[in-house]
Amino acid sequence: MVLKFDKLEVVEMRLKNLIFATLILAVLGKGCGLLSYGQESRVGTLNVQNSPTVPSQNIAIGLADQVLGGIVVEVGGEETVEAMNFDIVIGLASPEGPFPDIDDITNIVMVDDEGRIMAGPVDGAVGGNNAVRFIDTVTFKTGKHTYTLRCRLSADFSVNDQITISTIPSSDWTAVRGVVSGNTITPSPSSVVVLSTMTAKSTFLRVIEPI
């Protein structure tokens, strides 16, 4: 038995087969990530806020690894940050001094929520904005994570001096790009993010002599 088709029927059959094959490939591509045709590229996001889990607290003068502040970074798609800048304001406990400066805050590092150093150490820089300038390339994890700034205060600080750190992510965080796509991402917000204020306290060693 021989089946005969006219030219129009053959064209219709080929067209239907082509459409069916295209639909199958599109489904497989979306499910397995093999095809990029027709897929929308995901736009990365990076948002920075003050961390409520790093509250205002007393920090010791002259000791390393003191808390300077904390931020929550929420990332949609992995991003890489080439530089992060922060400003510092020092409130003096007494107008009579001594008068600590920004460079009296040293060994500043940023650590993640697992205690790993992500950036630094750097020392505070005197003059102009961006007193804390991290130049390390940092890759933030996707999702919402807390990062803590830690430092050492020099002996030029007095008891009850206060330190407040801040940043404007949209302008102080530069060269933010998606790790995979390479697309430029503008961090948010464009307003200032003020971290919790820290208060300097003295350290002392109490020696108890045996009776």
Side-chain angles (χ1 to χ4, degrees):
M1 179 177 180
V2 179
L3 297 177
K4 295 182 179 181
F5 300 95
D6 59 30
K7 292 183 178 180
L8 180 59
E9 288 176 326
V10 171
V11 171
E12 288 178 347
M13 289 176 63
R14 289 179 178 177
L15 182 59
K16 289 179 180 179
N17 290 338
L18 179 61
I19 293 174
F20 180 74
T22 302
L23 290 174
I24 293 297
L25 287 174
V27 171
L28 291 175
K30 290 182 179 180
C32 303
L34 298 176
L35 300 178
S36 59
Y37 178 78
Q39 294 184 11
E40 294 183 1
S41 59
R42 180 176 296 178
V43 178
T45 58
L46 190 150
N47 180 266
V48 183
Q49 298 294 334
N50 177 44
S51 172
T53 62
V54 185
S56 297
Q57 56 194 277
N58 297 331
I59 61 176
I61 298 170
L63 296 182
D65 205 34
Q66 300 301 296
V67 175
L68 188 57
I71 54 175
V72 173
V73 179
E74 186 171 6
V75 173
E78 283 190 334
E79 337 291 352
T80 299
V81 181
E82 294 289 345
M84 293 173 290
N85 300 319
F86 295 84
D87 295 320
I88 295 178
V89 174
I90 299 175
L92 300 178
S94 171
E96 298 178 358
F99 303 102
D101 212 330
I102 303 301
D103 58 0
D104 289 308
I105 305 175
T106 59
N107 295 326
I108 305 168
V109 296
M110 174 183 285
V111 300
D112 66 10
D113 44 16
E114 296 180 359
R116 295 174 297 190
I117 295 178
M118 303 291 291
V122 297
D123 297 336
V126 178
N129 295 327
N130 303 331
V132 181
R133 303 164 187 168
F134 290 115
I135 60 174
D136 305 82
T137 297
V138 178
T139 301
F140 288 100
K141 296 177 289 187
T142 56
K144 185 181 292 187
H145 297 275
T146 299
Y147 299 86
T148 305
L149 299 173
R150 296 182 175 275
C151 70
R152 181 183 184 277
L153 303 182
S154 81
D156 286 345
F157 277 88
S158 298
V159 173
N160 293 329
D161 283 346
Q162 294 188 324
I163 305 100
T164 305
I165 191 168
S166 64
T167 186
I168 303 176
S170 63
S171 57
D172 290 339
W173 295 40
T174 61
V176 184
R177 296 182 180 275
V179 172
V180 176
S181 67
N183 294 333
T184 300
I185 297 162
T186 301
S188 60
S190 58
S191 56
V192 62
V193 176
V194 181
L195 280 59
S196 302
T197 298
M198 305 299 159
T199 302
K201 294 293 183 180
S202 63
T203 56
F204 64 91
L205 177 64
R206 183 180 181 185
V207 178
I208 301 177
E209 296 183 357
I211 298 176

